Every structure is written in C-alpha cells, then in structure tokens.
Amino acid sequence: MSKPKTHSPPKLAVLLLSISVAWKFKEEAETDLNELFQIRLANHGLKYARRQYWRDVLSIWSRRSWFEEFEFTHLNTFSMFKNYMKVTFRNLRKQKIYTSINILGLAMGLAFCCLIFLYVQDELSFDNFHEKGDRIYRVERVSLESDGTIHGNNPNNSIPLGPALVQDIPGISTFTRLYNESLFVKSDGDPIQELITFSDPEVTDIFSFTFISGNPENALSNPGSVIISYSAARKYFNNTDPLGKTLQVRLDQTYEPFTVTGVYLDQPKNSTVDFNIVLPIAVSPYYTPDFIDRWSMSIYHTYVLVNDQIEGEDLNPNLDDFFNKYHDDYIARVREQQSLASDAQPLSYRLNKLTDIHLNSVSDPMYSFILSGIALGMLLIACINFMTLSIGRSSKRSKEIGLRKVIGAYRHQLMAQFWGEAFVICFISLILGIVLAEAALPVFNSLSGKMLNFNYFDNRVTLLVLGGFVVFTGLLAGSYPAVILSGIKPVVTLKGSFKLNGANLFTRSLVVVQFALSVLLIIGTLVMKNQMDFIQEQDLGYDKEQVVTIDLNGMDGIKLANQFRNTIGDEASIVDISAMGNSLGRRGSYGYGYNYNDQHVSLNVFTIESNYLDILGLELVDGRNFNPDLSTDSLNSVLVNETLVKELELEDPVGKEIPGFDSQNHGKPVIIGVVKDHYFQSMYNSMEPAFFTINPVWGHSSLLIRIRPENTQQSLALISDTWKLLVPEIPFSYSFLDDELNKIYQNDQRWTTIINYSSFFAILIACMGLFGLVTLTVSSREKEVGIRKVLGATITQITSLFAKDFVKLVALGVFIATPIAWYFMNQWLTNFAYHISIGPVHFIIAAVLVLTISLITISVQTIRAGSTNPAETLMND
Amino acid sequence: MTVQKLGELEELILLAIGGLREEAYTVSIQQFLEKHTNRSISMGALYTSLERLSKKGFATSEMTNPVAERGGKSKRVYEVTYEGECALREAHDSRLTLWNKFQWSPAWA
C-alpha cells in the first residue's frame, strides 16, 4: 500500500463530483472516492481504478435528488419562480394587444424559420445517405484555365472511360456508368412512361441500396435482369413478391422482357442519382460495338469509388496524364488552335465528389443563403416588435421593478425574470409557429418543389434547432428589457419620475430597421414580378399559342408527320402539322460546333420541314423558303437566322455557303434565305446563330401540331385517336408549347412567389409592431391630447402630430433599403440575358405602398385619440 | 409504527457493518462486500442505501476524529441499531425456515 502517489483520479470526474452543490455527503464522497481510487490503483492498476472512479461518480450523479439540492441552496427559489410565472401570465393577460402582437409576430417569424430550416437541411443533406458517399466521385470532362481552375464541366462521358480509369489510375477501385432515359414500362396493365437507369452491376457496391428482396450481389450481371424500387414494385406487381417476375420495357420500338432480380427500398428524395428502375448497361441504347471503344461519344455518366484516404484532388495529375493518353489527337489539336504550349492542359478529367455535386452544380447554395437571410430577417422584425413594445411598456413595469428592488431583488434576479418572460412568450410562439408551419408546409412544398416534412422525433437535429430558435429568439427579444430595465433605480421609479434615457432613439432605430427590411422585400417582389411579366409578355418572334408538341420517342419524324397529314391534315380544327428536330426554349439541345478563322463557331441546328416557318409564324427577311419539290433544297440548302449573318459577318448571304461549315453528313450547304431573329432559346441566354435545314440526317425529335383556338378538347381527342391508330404501342402524351416554355422559368417563378409571401408577412409583422407602438404612444400622451383639444386643436392636427413622427421613421427605412435593394436586384437580373432595368418607379411604388400601409395602421389609433372627449382624459386630475 | 422492510442490498450492507464493527465506514463497507460477495457496489448506490438505512432507523452513524490515512479528514462510522439487529434476525429466521423447507433437486445434486 505504500506505492508512491503518482496517479490521481480522472480530472473531469472530479470536477463533475465537485459541482454537485448541496449534497450532504459531498465532502465525504470526495475523500471516500480518493481513498478507494488509491486502493484500486494498488490492487488492480490505473485503468481499473479510473474506470471505477468514473462509475462511482456517475452513480452518485444519477441518484442525486435535484429537488433536495435546490432546497438546500435557495429555500425560496421555487416560490419565487412561481411568482415570476404568475406575474408573467398576469401581464400577458392584462395586455392582450401586446401579447397577441408579440406572440403572433414571433410565431410567424418562427414558422418561416422552421420551413426555411427544413429546406436548408434538405439541401445540405443531399446525397448524404450513401454510406460510401465521401468516396464516390463523378468523373467530369472539364476545360481548365491556365492556372488549373475549372471553367466548364461536362458529366457526360464515353463508354470506355470507366474501365480505363480503373485500369490506369491506382486509387480508383470500381466504376459504374449510368444512363437515364424515359421509357415505357409495363407488366400486365397499360404501359407507363418511367425514368429508367442503365448501369453496370457494380452500382449496388458503390451506391447504398437496401435490398428487401433478392441478392444485391450479381443482381444485374445477367443482361436479362432488372432491379426495381419498392414503389415501382408496388406499381407493377401490387402486393405480390415481384422476384422472378417479368417486366416489359420498350427498347428500340419493341417491348423486351426483363426478370426482376431485386427490390430495394426507395431512396431519399434529395439524391442526385435517382434509381427507380435499373437495367443492365448492356441493353442500353448506344452500347453497341460502334460505341464501346469510342472515346468521342458522350452520353454516360461515370461514377467511381476512390480508395480510402485518397481525396479526389490528389488524382488530378494522374487524370491529366490519362486524358493526354486517350485524347492525344484532340488535345494536340486544341493546343494548336489556342496556340498553347505543348504541356498546357486546357482539357482534362476531374473528379467531382458526389456530396458536393448538388450544391456546386445543380442548386445554387446562394438560394439557401438568401432564404435563411429572409427567415432571419422576419424573425428579427418580430424580435424588434417585442423589444420596442417592452420599452414602450417599461413605464408601466417600472413600478414593479422598483418594488422588487426595494424588497431586495438582485439585478440578476430581475434579469432572469425578464428573460424568463421572453422565453415563455417564445415558447408559446414556437408552438403556434410549428402549427402555422405545418399548415403552410403543403404550400411551401409546392413552392420549393421539394417533399419536406417535420420528423420531430426521427430527426434529433430538428428538435435541437427548434430549441435553438427559442433560446436565440428569447435571448434577443428579451435582451433589452432584461439588461436595461433591470438597471433602473428604484427611487426614481417609485417617485414616478421615471424616463428611459436613450430609449426613444433606440426604439426609433429599431423601427427604421424593421421598415427597411420590409421595403427591401417589397422592392424585391416588385422587380421580380416585373421581370417575370416581362418574360411572359416578350414577343418571342414566333407564335407559341395553340401549338401541341408530341415527343417522337425515337420514331421517324417525317414518316409520322406525313401519316398525320394524310389522315387528319384536312380537318378544320387542325391548322398545320410539322416535324422538328430541336426543342424551342431549351438551350443547346442540338448544335454543331467547328473552328473557323481561329474562332469557335457553334451553330444551333434545326431540322424542320418546309412548313415550319408557317406553323410558327416566322418571317423571312431575305431569300426564299424551302421548296419541298426541289431535291437540292433537301440535301444542300439551309435557312439561317439574322444573328448568324451578323456574327459571321456575311454580306448578301443568300446563295453563299456558311463560312467554314463542312459537316460529314451535310457537306457545305448553300444559304437560300434569312429568317428574322426569334427567341428560340430562353430569356436567360442571348440570341445565338442558328440554321434551319430539311435534310433529315440531323434527325427529328418532336411533332408540332397547330390547332384552332376553338374546341381545343375535340382537336386533342382527334389527335389522340389518330395517334392510337398510327402508333398503338406508345400511349399518347402531349404538351402545349407555351406551357413548356413557362416551365423553363419555373425556378424563378417559385422565387418570385416565395419572396412575395415573405414580403407580405414581413410588412404584416412590422405593421403589427407599429400599431402596438402607436397605441402605446397615444395612451401615454392622452392628457396632452386632452389639453391640446381644450385649447382648440382639431382632430387633423392631433392625428398629424402623431403620424408625422412615425412616417418620418418609415421614410428613413425606405431611404436606407433603396440602395441595398437596388444592388441585390441588379445581381439577380444579370441571370437573364434579357431583362428589365430597375427604375425609380419600383422604389416609388414600394415607398408609397409602405407609407400608405403604415399610415393606415397609425391612423386607426391616432384618429381615436384625436376624437376622444378631453373631459374623459382630464377628469381624473 | 409501520413495519420497515429490509431490502436485499440493505441487508448485505447491514451485515457488512456488523461484520466490520468499529471499522465500518463507507470505503471499508464497499471493499468488504466486494471481497466477500464478489459484488462491486457503486458508491452512489452505497450512499443512498446507507441514507435509507439511517432513515429507517436500522443504522446510525457518527463522525470520528480526523485520521491521518484519509488526508486529515474524519470518517463516518456506522453502527447497527437495535431495530437493525431485530430486522436482521427476522430476515435471518424467515430465511432459515425457508431454507429448511427447501428440497434440493436430486437432478442437480
């Protein structure tokens, strides 16, 4: 037992024991545990002694009676606490207006925060559910600046890329190629169009699949196999086990059978790769001998699994070598064209981490930031309400504070009381806010295009954050009354001469901040709304109304268009029918690029039929349209748009060739006419050069049918019947061109609506606060009003006396918000190649709107004050 | 007077106090039980049981003079009261009766 005392018990445990304040065995326990520690140390060694020490401390802690401990320290804490609660609730009940303004405002702010939190959480947890997520990378072909930064990336790659990567690059162990296509699928019932993924069998090793039926190993190794998600299984096989059953998928115009070898649970919605039905890659289109070794074809996404301890960037030099090896001709040509050194790396492959893809490439994290900013702004406005109203009410509470101090309350106790009140209000608001958020969730989901829901108990983070909201809001909202009001001197308040110094200025600046925030949102709403209207009303240069578009799903466009024309072309309700090979409104759907005079020229290619100009109402500015009877027109002629003429600096273009253009399958076509510029892309892009050809080598992708505006339903029925007759194997599906075009702006449309809602609520909360503040001011100046009236003031004079003050504040808010709004909205507008300019009109409308709303809010109370009988207010003195 | 029950752990602790006599304080009780019953009782459990035994009146405690081996601190020495001994005897007797009636299974003999 006489071992030297070199070891001591674990420090943290000692600390834990020492902070159990009032336990009556405390001192004893400290000595006891020390003694035991030494005994155990001598008998069993340090590790055992420490472990046992911890166990003892924890066992003491877990058995502590908290109640007893409170009673030991502060005998009256509990009853004081009861008193605080009582006073809090009395105050809340006595001043119903302020209570409801505070609670409603905070509840709305918190509801916003909850919704935005869900949104942001969903964004941040994108793709997080894959167990090997930090090792999964998508291979992208990138163009690089001379300093190695990426300025363009393309995830679409060739078939041989994956196998070559695994073979050549040591850190990469597995790959899978993915290709998505919308195809028709059926089991027993009608075919349904589904998103199909074609993939290598390794997909189940790389991504996380939870199989509920079948064996994940080798599930896809047989080319006749298919694995499907649980929801797909329910859709096609009801409640029976689909394992071994057959699913028919329409590949290359015929339905082919696939045997179900596995069913997995649906993966979370916030995923970059969406596995609905997975087929083996061997049956995918373009997986043909022509393409298997071809490096220049790019439609497959390649995902690789990188070995542990390797970061994607570590492999960059290897990838450069790899690129130079397999694309030696290509990169040599590019270097020559751009006159770069022979070791320059203008192009290469790069690995993009799966968990980074969504926020870096798909969704702008800016959106999350802006949304969080808006939510916090709303919460701030609500907190300011709370603060200004408590300051306004402080004269009423000051007597209570004075009395408490006289009786012996410490300042920290008063602070605790006021912060406690704030927390109670926040807590009530949070509950109300959650109810509001739950009610608004369906609307918010449709606005944000997500499937969010509150998982209070599955998701501990949600609970934590909700708690965090209460703490944050409570601390912020209660800070002013807690810090300032608790410091007032009892003598002053009890003598009745209490006045808060500087409170007026503080309140005023808070009101200014509130209205500045509201104005910011309102200007945002106005500008966004204007821009979206501008887009909708912009003359596209073609007639987008009453045009039905039908996807060809790989069928021969000209043949089908002819069949349609022969069957229903003469019907009165059908104006015209035409096949085309590009989609209007989408960027770069189909193009051809080449180099000419050291410049890269990329042209949009439109495969059309000769009636295309008529069906869309396009104008020719020069030359002539195609003549279907001239065989040279089909093979060798093109129409071009004005931008092409301008960009390639053609003079008198008709009869000339497109300079530098020499395509393998189209030769050197001659320009026979110039089409007036029209916005065939979206408003995000500026006008680009394009040419139109009736040479079918470029292929067709959709069928356009213009119908008469009358009896739309009948016309659609006619088209549908004809379709069923001509193409019985594919269900008829169509869309209207103008709807398709609107979809492009869906994202910004959503933003407009979200900002719209938030500005409405922001101004609502701010006005509620203003209303409360005016009410307070008016009631504290009742006597002054009485005397003024006795001396002859009119109602108008008295109303303006009060209004002037507040209107000044609101105006200052407008003034502050203007440059900030101008800056942010200009940033947003740069997204569009064609946009409105922000003018003074926006600011004037916003200012007038806010001033009017606040004036109305103010006038309710001030007019009441002005019209009261002075006898009533002066009677008591 | 309500009949106070003696819990199983309490019984063991009371027995330990009786076994240790003058040396019966927390650490020694813990070590004693560990040595003889092969049961390592946590100090938290020990304090609560001792507190409960005192409340039931089965054990009393008093502080000794400061002792050197505890760094100059005194220790609380426990003693079994008359009621404690009665409760122990009662427990022992009823156990004994039950033991005598117990029939060992020949299968495990």
Side-chain angles (χ1 to χ4, degrees), chain A residues 442-460:
Chain A
V443 181
F444 186 72
N445 274 342
S446 71
L447 284 181
S448 61
K450 286 187 181 289
M451 304 267 282
L452 305 172
N453 65 324
F454 283 100
N455 285 331
Y456 302 103
F457 303 106
D458 288 351
N459 191 340
R460 225 173 292 143

Side-chain angles (χ1 to χ4, degrees), chain B residues 51-101:
Chain B
E51 178 77 354
R52 213 172 295 137
L53 283 173
S54 309
K55 270 195 187 146
K56 287 179 183 172
F58 293 156
T60 55
S61 63
E62 63 185 33
M63 304 300 288
T64 60
N65 293 326
V67 276
E69 67 259 34
R70 270 168 75 88
K73 300 258 171 69
S74 51
K75 52 191 179 187
R76 188 187 292 276
V77 176
Y78 287 85
E79 206 181 326
V80 185
T81 60
Y82 172 69
E83 287 83 8
E85 285 204 6
C86 287
L88 274 177
R89 178 157 298 135
E90 198 183 313
H92 180 257
D93 288 350
S94 53
R95 293 280 159 93
L96 206 62
T97 326
L98 290 175
W99 272 120
N100 288 335
K101 292 189 185 297

Side-chain angles (χ1 to χ4, degrees), chain A residues 23-25 27-33 35-36 39-40 43-44 48 52 55-56 59-60 63 68, chain B residues 25-27 30-31 34 40-45 47-48 51 55 63 69-70 73-76 78:
Chain A
W23 190 44
K24 69 176 180 187
F25 288 124
E27 293 222 339
E28 247 184 280
E30 276 168 2
T31 349
D32 282 353
L33 289 192
E35 197 180 333
L36 266 174
I39 297 172
R40 284 169 178 155
N43 295 344
H44 303 276
Y48 178 84
Q52 291 297 316
R55 174 177 162 242
D56 285 334
S59 75
I60 288 168
R63 285 177 174 78
E68 228 167 68
Chain B
Y25 74 108
T26 39
V27 175
Q30 204 275 344
Q31 291 291 302
E34 193 169 310
S40 181
I41 293 158
S42 76
M43 292 303 278
Y47 288 124
T48 19
E51 178 77 354
K55 270 195 187 146
M63 304 300 288
E69 67 259 34
R70 270 168 75 88
K73 300 258 171 69
S74 51
K75 52 191 179 187
R76 188 187 292 276
Y78 287 85

Side-chain angles (χ1 to χ4, degrees), chain A residues 76 80 400-410 413 490 494:
Chain A
N76 72 345
M80 277 315 284
E400 177 196 335
I401 299 163
L403 203 59
R404 278 187 192 276
K405 283 203 162 179
V406 167
I407 292 174
Y410 288 109
Q413 286 174 322
L494 293 178

Side-chain angles (χ1 to χ4, degrees), chain A residues 592 594-597 601 648 657-663 668:
Chain A
Y592 184 84
Y594 64 95
N595 286 293
Y596 170 67
N597 278 356
V601 181
L648 293 178
E657 291 168 357
I658 301 176
F661 184 92
D662 187 5
S663 127
K668 298 178 176 178

Side-chain angles (χ1 to χ4, degrees), chain A residues 136-141 154-166 172 174-179 198-200 206-207 273 281 295 297-305 319 322 349-354 357:
Chain A
I136 304 174
Y137 290 84
R138 184 169 76 185
V139 188
E140 294 175 355
R141 211 149 29 107
N154 182 0
N156 295 322
N157 278 306
S158 59
I159 295 175
L161 172 67
L165 279 171
V166 170
I172 297 177
T174 327
F175 71 93
T176 183
R177 292 161 292 197
L178 303 179
Y179 173 67
F198 295 93
S199 138
D200 285 292
I206 296 175
F207 298 100
V273 276
I281 193 161
W295 284 84
M297 191 267 310
S298 44
I299 62 163
Y300 288 89
H301 284 198
T302 303
Y303 287 88
V304 294
L305 199 61
L319 288 167
F322 179 85
Y349 287 114
R350 285 290 178 262
L351 300 183
N352 197 350
K353 203 174 207 166
L354 177 66
I357 291 175

